[in-house]
Amino acid sequence: VQLQASGGGLVQAGGSLRLSCQASGRTFSRYGMAWFRQAPGKEREFVAAFRSSGGTEYYADSVKGRFTISRDTSKNTMYLQMNSLKPEDTAVYYCAADFPPFTILSSITSDSSYDYWGQGTLVTVSS
């Protein structure tokens, strides 16, 4: 599967953005999907993930209650709705997919579990 992330930009603190991740391939719905981010000078970190089995969503504590992951299988697209953005959310955001999807939390939140990556989209939150 090939992934194309978009939707990043510059926003003021407290604002909102919606990121999109367009996926190719006919089996999009069978993949485990996730968003990661990497801030300048920091390691890539988990943001959110979606498992089709049970429709379960997972979030990093730092974004819980502010970000929402979703996907539209008819459009082969995953989204990350980001509300109440903070300057510390500034990062390059990457979408990722794994198949078959891991079901253990430690694997779901680890970037080494993912086989496919988008190119990243920059989100800058000004204070």
Side-chain angles (χ1 to χ4, degrees), residues 56-112:
T56 307
E57 300 170 11
Y58 302 86
Y59 296 95
D61 289 342
S62 59
V63 307
K64 201 171 294 182
R66 300 187 298 122
F67 291 11
T68 303
I69 189 172
S70 63
R71 67 180 180 182
D72 185 339
T73 54
S74 68
K75 297 181 179 179
N76 271 15
T77 302
M78 175 177 67
Y79 303 99
L80 184 68
Q81 178 65 44
M82 306 186 295
N83 298 328
S84 302
L85 283 161
K86 304 175 181 179
E88 51 263 45
D89 295 318
T90 294
V92 176
Y93 284 72
Y94 299 90
C95 56
D98 70 306
F99 183 81
F102 287 97
T103 56
I104 299 173
L105 181 60
S106 59
S107 296
I108 292 170
T109 59
S110 172
D111 60 355
S112 63

